Amino acid sequence: IENRFPNLKRADSPSDKVGATPSGAFGKVEHSVAMLSLGNAFTPEDVQEFDTRIRRFLNLEPDAELALTSEPKIDGLSASLRYENGVLVRGATRGDGRVGEDITANLKTLPDIPHRLPEGVPDVLEIRGEVYMSGANFAALNARQIAAKAKPFANPRNAAAGSLRQLDTKITAARPLSFFAYTWGVMSYLPADTQRGMMACFEAWGFRVNPAFIGVTHPDGLLAHWADIEARRASLGYDIDGMVYKVDRLDYQARLGFVSRAPRWAIAHKFPAEQASTQLNAIEIQVGRTGALTPVAKLEPVTVGGVVVSNATLHNGDEIARKDIRIGDTVVVQRARDVIPQVVKPVLQARPENSLEFVFPTHCPECGSAAVRDVDEDGKADVVTRCTGGLTCPAQARERLKHFVSRAALDIDGLGQKQIDEFWQASMVQAPQDIFTLQARFEDNPPAKWLYANGPKDKLGTLKESVKKLFKAIEARKTVDLDRLIFGLGIRHVGETTARGLARHFGSLEKMMQDVRDMGRGDGALRADLEAVDGFGETLLDSLVAFFGEEKNCESVQALLTAGVRPTPLEAVAQDTPVAGKTIVFTGTLVQ
Ligand code: IVH
């Protein structure tokens, strides 16, 4: 009926539960309230410090009550559900926290996600929570995958991710996914004044909230709950990687606010990482984007926490010596989510006689330049050894490119680490600007690798669809936010927040380059002006001067602009307000 009479189809139609016809690609959704991440606590002291920090911030007496909540941290994917007048109108992934993907049709297939809420809910509301797959459903899905000769998933999280991001929502509908609600985005009014009250509302509106969600009045209560859930972890039926603690009172949450990307009023208390032991076959040196040489352990593949690990970081030379790790040793490896696997220690009882001590190289293995350690003001050597090859080192150039296209920078669909390696090897992309001239060069002389070599006759020798798509994505990215572009340049000490500050301050790449170069030539007044800007310290300014002091870097920036990249300035901060240009000092006491 809906197919014949589309105008009769309701937004909350039950037919969406079984999946809809595939659409072309996922649209982008800008989150009106950013989807934050969480700071981490690893020890009881960290948790105590969390409580103390909040009390200090709120200026609470030591014996004043500070109610907190505790709940498991689900190892899945976060999603945001927008309801208008009680009807689910949009569902999105977290993405980079500011912009996610529109996966409404996929989310509608989850039994835990209501399409319509009861009467009387706020007009506009966004429910946020975690999409996950239970252990039992994961095992059953993998059994089906194996029976169908398809590749099994490595862990429930990957299975959930693979199931959710399906253009064909019939596939999503056939996958057993679940959803726990734990926070919110926009809400036209708050129906409660505590976290606990909000969760009760969510439940009343038909969402599942975690049964292990509790309220406590002392950090000891958090630690007891952490220990209790950690002991029962295996029997919960789904993967969790820690606990999340939140301040209960919403007025306190509002006062506490957030720093960069994480709220001050919440923290994730992680469970210990999973460990396994295996043989260390070799140690290789990886050269990073800033020239840092990182020793990487090449391991006999081993499964740690559901994932096969064959590489792990050894951090630096001092660390290898301190832990006395030798090639040929049996080593303990650990893996925590979001963190690169690490080598913890050697198993000394199992050390073979022919184990080999590792000698840290004095030269960059990629370009042969001298590798040196930074020395700080007191003459103390830094733990990091760096290649001095700069832009002449191919490894640094390649890693810079990977950074340039990474998610928080240019974020070009279809151009990830793997593709950068491929284009690099084919000498098609060696510097950021080459990305934007790729299409023209392909049209002149496309390398065989990106052409159809077999398949239907009319396709032979023509460009692969994926490449055509990539060119479209590159073209679209010529318009890019100025802060993302600045972050993408990979200047040392310029993270995302600093990049935003720089974009806001300079307004354009040209102005930034010009001012920094003038400052480098000794314009002291300019330097003093910049040092006065909040967040611009000496280290940052020195780093900017070093970066734009390299002719090649300036040429590269210029070439980006010539290739048609048009950075969009950030919205200007209003200048014509009564407080603009004034320094205002508050004294006294703020009374609630
Ligand atoms: S609260 C502002 N509660 O952990 C607070 N997050 O590392 C936002 N997560 O992006 C998150 N279980 O995907 C919260 N019970 C829980 C959670 C949880 C899992 C995820 C969430 C978030 C990530 C942060």
Side-chain angles (χ1 to χ4, degrees):
I1 292 171
E2 285 176 346
N3 282 342
R4 283 188 62 192
F5 306 102
N7 58 332
L8 290 184
K9 183 170 174 185
R10 297 164 45 136
D12 60 344
S13 167
S15 60
D16 291 339
K17 279 273 180 230
V18 293
T21 329
S23 55
F26 298 109
K28 300 268 181 216
V29 176
E30 190 164 342
H31 299 299
S32 32
V33 174
M35 289 183 80
L36 302 174
S37 48
L38 292 170
N40 288 329
F42 296 98
T43 63
E45 292 73 41
D46 293 346
V47 177
Q48 185 56 57
E49 169 57 25
F50 169 68
D51 183 81
T52 313
R53 212 163 44 229
I54 291 168
R55 286 173 178 279
R56 200 182 318 126
F57 192 97
L58 295 174
N59 213 0
L60 295 181
E61 298 295 330
D63 54 356
E65 182 177 291
L66 176 64
L68 299 160
T69 66
S70 171
E71 69 201 280
K73 183 167 188 297
I74 318 296
D75 197 2
L77 303 111
S78 48
S80 184
L81 308 166
R82 186 181 175 92
Y83 292 83
E84 289 175 10
N85 301 314
V87 177
L88 176 60
V89 292
R90 198 162 58 236
T93 62
R94 175 174 187 276
D96 64 4
R98 287 195 290 171
V99 179
E101 281 181 322
D102 187 337
I103 51 161
T104 313
N106 305 72
L107 288 168
K108 276 189 168 177
T109 67
L110 270 65
D112 293 346
I113 294 183
H115 291 190
R116 179 180 281 274
L117 303 181
E119 293 287 312
V121 299
D123 292 348
V124 180
L125 70 93
E126 283 172 5
I127 299 284
R128 291 175 174 176
E130 205 83 351
V131 175
Y132 67 96
M133 193 178 284
S134 73
N137 282 333
F138 167 69
L141 171 64
N142 263 359
R144 289 203 299 276
Q145 290 283 109
I146 292 164
K149 302 226 163 8
K151 208 173 149 211
F153 293 98
N155 53 47
R157 184 172 187 276
N158 287 5
S163 303
L164 201 55
R165 278 189 93 265
Q166 287 284 345
L167 285 172
D168 183 352
T169 52
K170 290 212 174 61
I171 301 182
T172 312
R175 300 275 173 84
L177 295 170
S178 309
F179 181 80
F180 274 130
Y182 51 65
T183 190
W184 61 96
V186 172
M187 187 82 50
S188 40
Y189 68 87
L190 288 172
D193 51 17
T194 58
Q195 188 75 27
R196 276 191 288 177
M198 291 299 285
M199 297 297 260
C201 288
F202 290 1
E203 219 168 357
W205 296 344
F207 292 95
R208 284 177 63 235
V209 303
N210 200 295
F213 175 91
I214 61 159
V216 303
T217 49
H218 193 274
D220 286 348
L222 300 176
L223 297 178
H225 196 219
W226 184 89
D228 171 38
I229 299 290
E230 137 102 306
R232 296 194 283 124
R233 189 177 177 184
S235 61
L236 289 179
Y238 46 86
D239 282 355
I240 61 173
D241 56 353
M243 300 296 286
V244 181
Y245 308 143
K246 300 172 187 167
V247 170
D248 197 29
R249 277 176 57 165
L250 304 188
D251 57 339
Y252 282 173
Q253 289 190 5
R255 275 172 63 191
L256 286 154
F258 55 90
V259 201
S260 208
R261 290 177 153 217
R264 282 198 192 85
W265 46 265
I267 200 161
H269 185 187
K270 293 299 191 75
F271 291 141
E274 305 205 42
Q275 298 192 332
S277 58
T278 186
Q279 191 179 313
L280 173 63
N281 293 331
I283 296 179
E284 281 181 13
I285 295 286
Q286 231 171 45
V287 185
R289 126 181 106 81
T290 58
L293 305 190
T294 308
V296 177
K298 296 285 160 182
L299 304 164
E300 201 51 44
V302 61
T303 306
V304 194
V307 170
V308 179
V309 171
S310 46
N311 296 315
T313 179
L314 288 159
H315 300 289
N316 54 59
D318 288 359
E319 188 89 350
I320 299 178
R322 191 174 61 75
K323 291 180 176 165
D324 185 24
I325 293 167
R326 301 187 193 173
I327 300 162
D329 272 348
T330 295
V331 291
V332 175
V333 181
Q334 81 178 18
R335 182 191 148 263
R337 184 151 104 78
D338 299 337
V339 189
I340 310 164
Q342 299 168 309
V343 176
V344 186
K345 59 178 183 196
V347 182
L348 290 177
Q349 309 86 287
R351 171 164 286 170
E353 271 180 18
N354 59 353
S355 71
L356 261 186
E357 251 176 75
F358 180 68
V359 183
F360 209 87
T362 52
H363 289 82
C364 171
E366 299 259 0
C367 71
S369 306
V372 299
R373 285 176 142 205
D374 292 346
V375 177
D376 69 13
E377 286 158 13
D378 311 326
K380 224 178 98 216
D382 194 57
V383 289
V384 180
T385 306
R386 250 175 244 285
C387 156
T388 52
L391 289 168
T392 62
C393 174
Q396 288 191 42
R398 199 176 56 229
E399 292 310 310
R400 274 195 189 194
L401 273 171
K402 290 184 183 171
H403 173 76
F404 186 73
V405 300
S406 65
R407 190 143 95 163
L410 271 277
D411 190 22
I412 300 172
D413 277 346
L415 191 60
Q417 316 274 306
K418 188 170 136 240
Q419 290 79 10
I420 288 288
D421 275 333
E422 287 173 358
F423 286 123
W424 175 272
Q425 263 156 25
S427 304
M428 297 297 289
V429 175
Q430 281 164 335
Q433 63 269 29
D434 297 345
I435 294 171
F436 297 96
T437 58
L438 194 59
Q439 183 168 7
R441 285 178 290 127
F442 256 74
E443 278 163 6
D444 291 346
N445 185 16
K449 187 167 188 282
W450 286 279
L451 301 177
Y452 282 105
N454 43 36
K457 220 174 172 186
D458 58 330
K459 288 218 163 166
L460 293 184
T462 61
L463 265 192
K464 288 188 181 165
E465 291 305 319
S466 58
V467 184
K468 288 191 202 159
K469 253 197 181 153
L470 173 61
F471 290 152
K472 267 206 189 135
I474 293 176
E475 192 57 36
R477 271 319 206 187
K478 282 189 175 169
T479 311
V480 59
D481 293 342
L482 178 59
D483 57 326
R484 280 178 171 265
L485 188 61
I486 294 177
F487 173 69
L489 294 177
I491 307 169
R492 263 185 93 189
H493 306 294
V494 178
E496 288 171 70
T497 308
T498 307
R500 261 200 293 283
L502 292 168
R504 192 147 269 146
H505 181 82
F506 291 109
S508 77
L509 266 183
E510 292 90 334
K511 169 104 169 73
M512 171 163 154
M513 202 150 65
Q514 190 57 49
D515 280 9
V516 170
R517 299 190 88 184
D518 288 348
M519 182 168 68
R521 289 193 203 98
D523 189 333
L526 198 55
R527 185 164 178 123
D529 277 354
L530 286 172
E531 269 176 11
V533 178
D534 197 18
F536 291 8
E538 232 173 88
T539 323
L540 170 69
L541 297 185
D542 288 346
S543 170
L544 290 175
V545 168
F547 185 88
F548 289 108
E550 291 260 10
E551 207 45 51
K552 253 193 152 171
N553 286 332
C554 297
E555 280 167 22
S556 177
V557 169
Q558 205 54 58
L560 278 171
L561 299 173
T562 313
V565 175
R566 290 175 302 274
T568 328
L570 293 188
E571 232 170 79
V573 176
Q575 295 297 331
D576 54 349
T577 75
V579 288
K582 292 188 178 142
T583 302
I584 295 179
V585 180
F586 291 93
T587 69
T589 313
L590 291 171
V591 186
Q592 267 209 322

